[in-house]
Amino acid sequence: MTTEPHSFPRRHARTQRFTLGAPRSFTVAPDGSRVVFLRSGSGTDRANSLWVLDVEEGGERVAADPGALLGGASEDLSPEERARRERSREGGVGIVGYATDSAVELASFALSGRLFAAELRAGTARELPAPGPVIDPRPSPDGRHVAYVARGALRVVGAEGEGDRALAEPESENVSYGLAEFIAAEEMGRSRGFWWAPESDRLLMARVDDTPVQRWWIADPAHPEREPQRVPYPAAGTGNAEVRLFVVGLDGLRTEVAWDRARFPYLAHVHWSAAGAPLLLVQARDQRSQLILAVDPDSGATRMVHADEDRTWLDLFPGVPCWSPSGQLVRIADEGGARVLAVGDRPLTGAQLHVRAVLDVSEHDVLISASAGAEAAGEAETGQVHVYRVNELGVERVSQEPGVHAAVRAGEVTVLVSATLNRPGSRAQVLRDGKPTRTVPSYAEDPGMSPRVTLTEGGARRVPCAVLMPRDYDGDTPLPVLMDPYGGPHGQRVVASHNAHLTSQWFADQGFAVVVADGRGTPGRSPAWEKAIHHDFTLSLDDQVEALEDLAKRHPLDLSRVAIRGWSYGGWLAGLAVLRRPDVFHAGIAGAPVTDWALYDTHYTERYLGTPAEHPDSYAKSSLVTAEGLSSPAEPHRPLMIVHGLADDNVVVAHALRLSSALLAAGRPHEVLPLSGVTHITPQEQVAENLLLLQVDFLKRSLGMPAA
């Protein structure tokens, strides 16, 4: 299927959802003189360069250009680097990540498996000799060394390229040093496996042994001559990788860090700063208890700093735990029905805020991101996330305009990144003492369309919703409905941000009223809201139905023609909708759906459903392949399109195949669209474009609408 080159689906795919060319990955120098960031050269250029902004003068310069450094050659990525990018959903090329020393004068990064360093004041870059393929290079705080991983070994080299050596080498093919294991990177938000001491004389180093993890095989049916890829995948109820932690000196001498790994096997977070001893956050496998431990780097002994327990589960949050400069513990906790910021023994926020992350900790305050708490939230605050300064004197909001905001700070300089409903893309402002001084230019393309979106709430539970109508809609004629949710944990879709609704608006312009609903289990409301789905994912579907039926009282929705589409958790939700509630949903598109939760990973699935052996009913109730009434001839059989990438190593294609087999056995018609060579994300331009067009065609056929 083809279309004109400048159609929205083509531009959406070519620009990677209009994100290419936007500055990202900011680092602020502690003296406030420089802001370092990544940005590609245009809205269609995937290759990121490393840039430096002079805060006082306002001038920018390129510190490292991947094209020049590689001499125009294309990148050659190792399987390990491809896996890292898949875990982080990274679709760009060139310099996709970097790290700096504490003064933000030296940066290191990997390109095509080679090691590079950039002098940020001078704006020059050079290659350092290193055995490859290089992964995750990080300078020491004093800028004299760079540590990196190559072939499972943690290595270190002088910043001028001298003295390269291995600090730890793998004892077998199943062992690696300095890397995050699959579930840490996919589910815990921990993408790294080594941490420098603030004195630059040693490191904390993770050792991962994935021998206990079962092996799966991912084949490429389009290329039968290729061997299948053998991957360790820790499915729910099966073995996890064994993770140990060591303190290792620059001479290679190591000391193991001791804690009760049998009781707390998950290493979720590591923090090492000059404010105190190294901090670890370790979790029990059921994630109902966790410890914050301080490490003696000389002996490896640990002492408990804080312990948490929860009868459902304990969430992990970016930026914590950590020490404040005065040595107080900073953490985020669910207390008194709210998600609060605590410093030392004292909570500094209450029910008015739902804290999401700690962004920076200074002597004077803590910078956080938060949304309105359940008691303070209302329709006017729907979808907003703001940046706040918090200390013992109170709370001050840094971001002012309604929207979704994030920030990076050092010293008196903050980079505030803001997205709003009335402005395309995001804007990065440099603030000094809270006042805007610079705006970092963005080269991202303008989408050329603005969503006609209403942020509201639906149903007795006040489910956050976004309603989108065609831009040429007359306002009266009832329209067929397309529910367009994610609907699950960590996936807020109802946000006060322009570009977040572009695809939904494009579907609306094809003749639909599009409804996006964030029901129980999605982030942003309250701990109780997020934890309501414990042992029962199907509450997500109940909230979609409740929101839809309530919105129909206020909007011209044709409830005789309702479809639903989604990807990943949203794909599971779409499949569940047409199988369990065919009285409400008349067609569905399930993209990369988790159809059998026993096939999904340990840390995610067991948090919500427990283990399959201990809670088989929870798995059966939330499964599509054992859906109640699947083979009942009394129910209407609604059209269902199943879409899945054959190279997906997160939600493997077995999910789609098992659902298709179950539907076939039950005599239920359905369509399967296999995507050859596609993983859990679809970065390929033509695939992403045509996937949107094929979905519209399926929805119109299924609902009896005129073809485009």
Side-chain angles (χ1 to χ4, degrees):
M1 182 178 292
T2 59
T3 187
E4 64 272 19
H6 301 295
S7 68
F8 172 81
R10 173 60 63 91
R11 294 184 65 222
H12 185 258
R14 181 171 293 174
T15 62
Q16 292 192 0
R17 304 172 303 282
F18 300 97
T19 62
L20 297 179
R24 63 184 181 98
S25 304
F26 294 96
T27 303
V28 180
D31 63 3
S33 64
R34 297 176 304 286
V35 173
V36 185
F37 60 95
L38 299 178
R39 186 178 57 200
S40 63
S42 73
T44 57
D45 181 7
R46 294 176 59 207
N48 291 288
S49 296
L50 185 66
W51 293 78
V52 178
L53 168 71
D54 186 300
V55 174
E56 294 299 328
E57 301 297 328
E60 293 181 351
R61 62 182 181 275
V62 177
D65 177 355
L69 293 173
L70 294 179
S74 59
E75 287 188 82
D76 180 18
L77 301 181
S78 67
E80 293 81 6
E81 179 61 22
R82 292 183 186 278
R84 278 172 51 85
R85 296 189 183 191
E86 181 69 19
R87 301 285 73 78
S88 62
R89 311 296 189 261
E90 174 61 66
V93 299
I95 305 171
V96 299
Y98 68 96
T100 72
D101 61 354
S102 60
V104 191
E105 296 184 350
L106 179 73
S108 63
F109 53 90
L111 267 180
S112 199
R114 294 153 56 185
L115 176 59
F116 292 88
E119 298 289 348
L120 298 175
R121 287 186 183 274
T124 59
R126 62 185 184 278
E127 183 173 2
L128 302 180
V134 169
I135 297 175
D136 195 26
R138 295 179 179 270
S140 57
D142 64 7
R144 297 176 60 187
H145 296 89
V146 177
Y148 65 96
V149 178
R151 302 190 184 279
L154 179 64
R155 304 184 66 90
V156 67
V157 63
E160 301 299 326
E162 75 285 2
D164 183 274
R165 59 199 180 277
L167 301 182
E169 296 185 275
E171 295 84 2
S172 73
E173 64 176 0
N174 295 334
V175 172
S176 65
Y177 286 93
L179 295 177
E181 73 276 21
F182 175 92
I183 55 171
E186 183 68 41
E187 309 296 0
M188 299 182 202
R190 178 171 66 79
S191 60
R192 57 192 295 191
F194 68 90
W195 300 263
W196 277 101
E199 299 83 10
S200 303
D201 59 342
R202 47 190 169 180
L203 304 95
L204 276 169
M205 166 185 71
R207 179 188 187 272
V208 174
D209 183 353
D210 62 21
T211 301
V213 182
Q214 65 182 2
R215 264 45 181 183
W216 283 3
W217 300 87
I218 298 178
D220 184 356
H223 293 277
E225 75 280 3
R226 296 178 183 172
E227 288 189 2
Q229 182 185 3
R230 184 173 181 258
V231 298
Y233 192 92
T238 69
N240 278 313
E242 179 187 78
V243 180
R244 297 161 64 186
L245 193 66
F246 294 85
V247 179
V248 60
L250 296 184
D251 55 4
L253 294 178
R254 69 175 78 168
T255 301
E256 183 164 7
V257 177
W259 78 92
D260 187 354
R261 290 191 294 109
R263 178 72 181 90
F264 299 96
Y266 288 137
L267 177 63
H269 182 79
V270 177
H271 166 79
W272 200 352
S273 71
L279 282 179
L280 314 180
L281 175 61
V282 295
Q283 281 191 324
R285 177 150 177 171
D286 65 9
Q287 298 170 65
R288 295 183 183 185
S289 59
Q290 64 186 25
L291 301 178
I292 299 174
L293 303 173
V295 180
D296 180 341
D298 294 323
S299 67
T302 57
R303 61 177 176 86
M304 188 180 73
V305 177
H306 185 82
D308 286 301
E309 291 188 358
D310 192 284
R311 62 185 181 86
T312 51
W313 70 74
L314 291 157
D315 277 303
L316 302 173
F317 307 104
V320 289
C322 66
W323 296 118
S324 72
S326 62
Q328 290 185 295
L329 180 67
V330 181
R331 59 188 179 89
I332 296 172
D334 294 347
E335 295 180 359
R339 182 153 296 154
V340 302
L341 171 72
V343 177
D345 296 327
R346 181 180 175 185
L348 297 186
T349 61
Q352 79 278 9
L353 290 182
H354 184 73
V355 180
R356 293 168 174 257
V358 167
L359 307 175
D360 183 55
V361 182
S362 74
E363 295 180 1
H364 309 292
D365 59 38
V366 180
L367 197 70
I368 65 169
S369 66
S371 47
E375 295 184 7
E379 197 166 88
E381 289 80 29
T382 297
Q384 295 192 45
V385 181
H386 285 280
V387 175
Y388 298 84
R389 294 175 59 240
V390 182
N391 58 27
E392 293 184 353
L393 299 178
V395 177
E396 176 189 357
R397 200 168 94 178
V398 176
S399 51
Q400 297 302 317
E401 57 183 343
V404 177
H405 306 267
V408 175
R409 184 180 72 172
E412 302 301 322
V413 171
T414 301
V415 178
L416 180 67
V417 182
S418 304
T420 67
L421 278 174
N422 58 10
R423 184 178 62 238
S426 60
R427 182 175 65 188
Q429 290 183 296
V430 180
L431 315 180
R432 184 181 286 279
D433 296 324
K435 299 177 181 179
T437 60
R438 307 287 177 196
T439 298
V440 183
S442 173
Y443 303 152
E445 287 197 2
D446 190 313
M449 61 185 286
S450 293
R452 182 176 174 176
V453 59
T454 300
L455 298 184
T456 184
E457 295 176 342
R461 294 188 180 88
R462 297 170 41 236
V463 175
C465 296
V467 180
L468 298 101
M469 295 295 185
R471 286 174 292 164
D472 59 357
Y473 178 55
D474 60 16
D476 296 319
T477 306
L479 294 175
V481 183
L482 175 61
M483 302 292 287
D484 191 16
Y486 180 79
H490 314 295
Q492 184 176 3
R493 289 265 285 113
V494 180
V495 291
S497 169
H498 180 283
N499 283 24
H501 302 288
L502 290 175
T503 301
S504 295
Q505 183 62 55
W506 181 77
F507 275 100
D509 289 342
Q510 313 311 307
F512 298 93
V514 177
V515 174
V516 182
D518 281 349
R520 285 169 291 177
T522 59
R525 173 71 64 88
S526 70
W529 180 266
E530 296 179 10
K531 296 177 182 180
I533 59 171
H534 194 220
H535 290 310
D536 188 1
F537 281 151
T538 66
L539 295 181
S540 301
L541 177 58
D542 296 342
D543 289 355
Q544 297 292 315
V545 174
E546 178 181 321
L548 171 67
E549 293 177 343
D550 184 58
L551 291 172
K553 301 173 184 177
R554 292 173 276 140
H555 299 272
L557 309 182
D558 181 358
L559 296 187
S560 69
R561 293 184 293 174
V562 178
I564 182 170
R565 68 180 284 269
W567 195 266
S568 196
Y569 191 99
W572 166 82
L573 188 53
L576 187 77
V578 297
L579 293 175
R580 300 283 179 91
R581 296 300 305 270
D583 57 317
V584 176
F585 298 95
H586 307 97
I589 300 174
V594 180
T595 66
D596 181 353
W597 287 98
L599 291 181
Y600 201 57
D601 73 53
T602 52
H603 193 270
Y604 181 100
T605 315
E606 293 172 10
R607 179 191 310 135
Y608 306 116
L609 301 181
T611 63
E614 294 177 346
H615 299 279
D617 292 344
S618 297
Y619 280 79
K621 186 174 185 180
S622 298
S623 172
L624 300 186
V625 297
T626 60
E628 300 170 5
L630 181 64
S631 59
S632 171
E635 290 187 353
H637 293 177
R638 301 304 191 188
L640 176 64
M641 173 186 279
I642 305 167
V643 185
H644 216 118
L646 299 182
D648 197 334
D649 68 349
N650 179 22
V651 183
V652 294
V653 75
H655 287 273
L657 298 177
R658 291 189 183 187
L659 176 58
S660 178
S661 296
L663 293 171
L664 185 62
R668 289 179 176 263
H670 61 285
E671 300 180 19
V672 178
L673 179 60
L675 305 177
S676 179
V678 171
T679 61
H680 201 57
I681 55 177
T682 53
Q684 297 90 334
E685 184 177 313
Q686 287 186 318
V687 172
E689 174 193 18
N690 289 328
L691 187 54
L692 287 177
L693 299 172
L694 288 168
Q695 288 181 65
V696 168
D697 177 70
F698 171 82
L699 293 170
K700 291 194 170 188
R701 283 189 286 113
S702 300
L703 298 181
M705 299 168 62

